[in-house]
Amino acid sequence: MGRKLCTNDRKVFFPKDNIGGYPVKYLELIVRTKKTLSAKQMKLLRLQNITSEAQIYKSYDNPLPEEFKKRYAMLIVAIDKLNRDLADQLNQLREYVGSLTHDPDMLAMITPSHYREQSREKAAQIFEKNNKGHVKNDHIANLIKHLTTIMYLASNVSKNDKDELSIMALKGAIVETREILEPGNVAAFNRNVASHMSYIDCQPGSSSKAPKSE
């Protein structure tokens, strides 16, 4: 039983291990993860600003000041640490959620979150590199990034011979993309995209190639 507090002759009990049916450690982990994500967003914004600053130096053919290089290096180190912290926290969340649900789509969305996050960042870089400002609608741009993530992960599944990490990340990306679609577009997505990924249901490490006859 939790801690007891007396207030105006009323006994109020504070749960020791659970709040609203959820483990306190799980809720604390969610808070820490949100703080880490917020910190990473701030660092990425600073990185974007410092990159723009570097472009200004470059446009004038000026060398980067040592103080600038130091700030940049410290920022990269900080982002790297946040990435490691985030990976650890997401892995812990995956374990907690895995114990709370057995829904395959939900498990695919959270397993493995960090690997899929890295793939999303790579897909966003690919989009920004090739878009060059042509697609201005945020919703369409977001959809393209999601589809690019699926393509990127699908290529990794092939390269990694269907390892479980790549398979789960790809399945999760498909579920996430389906969630952002308008209801009228889900059938087309399932028919034109998701159905072509059916090979990911093969056992990890299995090969789709038939053995050569002697």
Side-chain angles (χ1 to χ4, degrees):
M1 186 174 294
R3 293 180 292 109
K4 181 171 64 177
L5 176 66
C6 294
T7 306
N8 297 330
D9 297 327
R10 291 186 304 164
K11 296 179 179 179
V12 181
F13 290 90
F14 290 89
K16 184 177 181 180
D17 299 317
N18 290 274
I19 296 178
Y22 295 98
V24 172
K25 290 185 177 180
Y26 171 63
L27 299 176
E28 291 175 345
L29 181 58
I30 290 177
V31 173
R32 290 202 307 273
T33 304
K34 290 183 66 175
K35 288 183 177 179
T36 303
L37 284 170
S38 297
K40 181 179 177 180
Q41 289 175 342
M42 293 298 295
K43 296 293 185 185
L44 290 176
L45 181 60
R46 288 181 57 190
L47 180 61
Q48 183 179 351
N49 292 336
I50 204 171
T51 301
S52 298
E53 189 178 345
Q55 291 296 328
I56 295 175
Y57 281 110
K58 184 178 179 181
S59 65
Y60 288 99
D61 293 326
N62 291 332
L64 296 176
E66 289 301 319
E67 182 272 338
F68 178 89
K69 293 180 181 179
K70 183 178 180 180
R71 281 193 293 124
Y72 181 81
M74 292 177 63
L75 183 58
I76 294 300
V77 170
I79 292 175
D80 184 61
K81 182 181 184 304
L82 286 171
N83 282 335
R84 292 196 303 271
D85 292 343
L86 187 59
D88 181 61
Q89 291 163 357
L90 289 174
N91 283 333
Q92 292 181 58
L93 280 175
R94 180 190 63 193
E95 294 175 2
Y96 273 121
V97 177
S99 67
L100 297 174
T101 180
H102 298 288
D103 181 81
D105 283 349
M106 179 63 70
L107 290 174
M109 287 184 69
I110 63 172
T111 310
S113 299
H114 180 61
Y115 181 68
R116 196 165 63 254
E117 174 69 20
Q118 288 181 322
S119 300
R120 273 197 295 264
E121 291 180 1
K122 180 65 176 179
Q125 292 173 4
I126 294 173
F127 171 78
E128 296 298 340
K129 179 180 178 180
N130 293 278
N131 181 43
K132 299 178 180 178
H134 294 300
V135 178
K136 301 183 183 299
N137 184 287
D138 290 339
H139 178 72
I140 295 177
N142 188 41
L143 177 59
I144 294 174
K145 290 176 185 178
H146 273 77
L147 293 173
T148 304
T149 301
I150 291 176
M151 294 173 62
Y152 180 76
L153 286 167
S155 68
N156 285 343
V157 168
S158 300
K159 292 176 183 176
N160 298 330
D161 196 23
K162 299 187 179 71
D163 71 283
E164 187 174 4
L165 184 71
S166 300
I167 290 174
M168 292 300 291
L170 177 55
K171 286 184 176 181
I174 291 173
V175 173
E176 283 184 338
T177 303
R178 188 184 290 120
E179 291 292 323
I180 70 169
L181 295 174
E182 296 291 336
N185 295 326
V186 173
F189 173 79
N190 289 336
R191 181 174 62 254
N192 298 313
V193 179
S195 64
H196 295 287
M197 302 296 170
S198 58
Y199 70 90
I200 66 176
D201 289 323
C202 298
Q203 290 295 323
S206 64
S207 175
S208 58
K209 296 180 181 179
K212 295 181 180 179
S213 57
E214 297 294 336

